[in-house]
Amino acid sequence: MAISLNVSVPGAIPDLDTLKSTVSSYLDRDDLDDKLPQFILLAESMFNRELRCPDMEKTATGAVTSEDTPFPVDYLAMRAIYEEGSPDRPLKGIAPSAIRDNFDGSVGTPVAYTLVSGGIRLIPPPASSILLTMDYWARIDGLSTASPSNWLLEKHPDAYLYATLFQAEAYLDNSTRAGQWSQLTAACVDR
């Protein structure tokens, strides 16, 4: 006997325009419509700072021939990095200050990495091309006219609503309402 469960729940807020109109409705005012994109952007900034969940996990693989490699454009934080092989060789993360203390500047097989402005520095630099794989936390795609939805809005429209309302009420200097929306946002993020 097979049991089929429908685990997909249609969102009450399927896109950016609906989010904006719902926020306006909750605020019961239409004089903030031009500020709503900024409130949504601030909510997304908070999500990118605080939220880490499976939907944000990504992997990038590529050939590396030099000491420095740029981050993927949606990079937020490192999860793991390793050289592909049999077996794969994980690289150890070190502080930038430890580079000169532990390595003499010669090329070789990378054993460590450090984060530098805009990318990753391999230590030592590879003597030849290597295949590097990085598992990382990716930034949430921001809502826009060209991209009116994303996985977070589809799966958790309440998080978007509460965080946007928090930003709006904070802007309006309504600390009581902002506090309520902040608590609801935190509960969503924690879950």
Side-chain angles (χ1 to χ4, degrees):
M1 177 169 149
I3 297 175
S4 176
L5 298 174
N6 181 2
V7 294
S8 174
V9 178
I13 305 173
D15 57 33
L16 177 59
D17 288 338
T18 307
L19 176 61
K20 288 178 181 178
S21 65
T22 303
V23 169
S24 280
S25 175
Y26 270 74
L27 293 171
D28 196 25
R29 50 190 304 166
D30 58 6
D31 61 331
L32 295 176
D33 289 352
D34 61 327
K35 301 231 182 286
L36 292 179
Q38 186 65 31
F39 300 150
I40 293 167
L41 181 64
L42 290 168
E44 290 169 339
S45 293
M46 183 275 306
F47 294 140
N48 283 321
R49 250 188 337 275
E50 297 183 18
L51 190 62
R52 297 294 179 269
C53 64
D55 289 298
M56 296 173 78
E57 297 174 16
K58 285 195 178 178
T59 298
T61 300
V64 176
T65 58
S66 63
E67 179 177 34
D68 291 341
T69 301
F71 291 131
V73 294
D74 60 352
Y75 175 88
L76 274 178
M78 183 71 67
R79 297 195 65 237
I81 187 168
Y82 52 93
E83 180 183 355
E84 292 280 347
S86 291
D88 292 339
R89 291 182 341 92
L91 301 181
K92 177 185 173 188
I94 63 170
S97 60
I99 295 173
R100 295 199 197 320
D101 296 339
N102 295 305
F103 299 98
D104 62 9
S106 60
V107 297
T109 301
V111 295
Y113 73 95
T114 192
L115 304 180
V116 292
S117 178
I120 301 155
R121 178 162 295 157
L122 299 177
I123 301 112
S128 61
S129 180
I130 63 169
L131 191 59
L132 196 66
T133 295
M134 178 176 60
D135 298 326
Y136 66 99
W137 298 108
R139 186 178 337 279
I140 296 166
D141 293 333
L143 300 177
S144 67
T145 304
S147 182
S149 191
N150 61 24
W151 66 265
L152 183 58
L153 185 62
E154 290 169 9
K155 291 183 175 184
H156 307 285
D158 54 340
Y160 253 105
L161 176 63
Y162 301 155
T164 304
L165 285 166
F166 163 71
Q167 296 297 334
E169 294 291 1
Y171 173 82
L172 294 169
D173 202 22
N174 186 343
S175 59
T176 301
R177 300 269 306 181
Q180 293 167 341
W181 295 124
S182 177
Q183 288 177 347
L184 289 168
T185 301
C188 285
V189 169
D190 288 346
R191 282 191 306 262

